[in-house]
């Protein structure tokens, strides 16, 4: 099995994480740990919203094309629009083409990855946690390169997700 080492490493990080979390709860109590987590996410959300307020309201777009889908020689187009209004924004993938035959497409989890690009451009100094997602909505058409439907291989999702991060950096950089 080619990825047994990866699975063991992932399992190991979960074991260590569980031990550390239990240690925090044992030392400070469950409610204090929960309050700390809420505080950390609220802090990052507020920081991201302040960063978004510095960006003029509008639509920021970028598109890119893969040479192929690893099976056919057909180019694959991804298009992203960031619709920014006030202290929030929507990431819209509506211009992205339908899912391809090959594995160059992504499951739903990759739809939030572009936030890494936006965060690095607008708010690189605050911590990285789920609070940064709160100001954003996502629109991803089912059956597209960014929201593949089963049964479908998404084994090249890292390429698609990574491309989305870069596209978001370019799009929001146009502000």
């Amino acid at each position: 099995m080619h990825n047994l080492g990866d699975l063991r490493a992932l399992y190991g990080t979960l074991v260590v994480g569980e031990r550390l979390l239990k240690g925090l709860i044992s030392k400070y109590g469950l409610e204090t740990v929960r309050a700390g987590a809420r505080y950390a996410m609220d802090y990052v959300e507020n920081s991201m919203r302040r960063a978004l307020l510095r960006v003029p309201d509008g639509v920021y777009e970028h598109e890119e094309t893969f040479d192929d889908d690893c099976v056919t020689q057909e180019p694959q187009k991804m298009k992203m629009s960031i619709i920014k209004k006030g202290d929030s924004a929507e990431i819209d993938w509506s211009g992205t083409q339908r899912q391809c035959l090959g594995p160059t497409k992504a499951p739903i989890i990759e739809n939030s990855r572009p936030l890494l690009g936006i965060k690095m451009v607008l708010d690189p100094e605050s911590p990285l946690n789920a609070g940064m997602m709160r100001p954003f909505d996502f629109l991803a058409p089912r059956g597209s390169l960014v929201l593949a439907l089963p049964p479908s291989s998404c084994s090249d999702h890292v390429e698609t997700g990574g491309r989305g991060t870069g596209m978001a950096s370019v799009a929001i950089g146009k502000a």
Side-chain angles (χ1 to χ4, degrees):
M1 184 165 172
H2 293 295
N3 43 357
L4 185 58
D6 290 342
L7 292 173
R8 287 179 176 152
L10 288 169
Y11 175 75
T13 60
L14 291 172
V15 169
V16 171
E18 178 185 34
R19 185 177 67 236
L20 293 172
L21 183 58
K22 284 180 175 179
L24 283 173
I25 293 168
S26 170
K27 184 173 182 176
Y28 299 106
L30 180 60
E31 286 311 309
T32 300
V33 172
R34 281 186 176 160
R38 278 192 299 272
Y39 174 83
M41 287 189 284
D42 291 348
Y43 176 84
V44 171
E45 175 188 4
N46 291 332
S47 184
M48 180 59 81
R49 288 189 187 279
R50 284 191 306 275
L52 283 167
L53 285 171
R54 294 191 302 268
V55 175
D57 286 355
V59 179
Y60 302 93
E61 297 180 324
H62 186 68
E63 69 180 60
E64 293 190 8
T65 304
F66 292 94
D67 291 338
D68 59 54
D69 69 352
C70 300
V71 171
T72 71
Q73 295 301 309
E74 298 296 317
Q76 307 297 312
K77 182 180 98 171
M78 290 174 61
K79 181 177 180 185
M80 170 192 290
S81 299
I82 301 173
I83 301 101
K84 191 273 176 183
K85 186 173 182 180
D87 69 349
S88 62
E90 177 181 77
I91 297 176
D92 182 355
W93 291 101
S94 293
T96 297
Q97 77 175 56
R98 302 294 299 164
Q99 70 186 52
C100 56
L101 180 62
T104 307
K105 52 191 170 287
I108 193 168
I109 191 67
E110 294 290 354
N111 279 277
S112 61
R113 197 186 298 194
L115 293 183
L116 294 172
I118 294 170
K119 181 158 182 19
M120 292 304 109
V121 171
L122 299 182
D123 185 31
E125 312 243 332
S126 73
L128 184 65
N129 68 34
M132 74 180 199
M133 296 176 69
R134 292 176 180 169
F136 294 90
D137 289 314
F138 301 90
L139 180 59
R142 290 175 171 223
S144 69
L145 290 179
V146 295
L147 186 53
L149 296 174
S152 182
S153 170
C154 293
S155 61
D156 197 23
H157 70 95
V158 173
E159 176 68 26
T160 311
R163 183 75 59 109
T165 300
M167 290 173 66
S169 299
V170 172
I172 205 68
K174 295 175 183 178

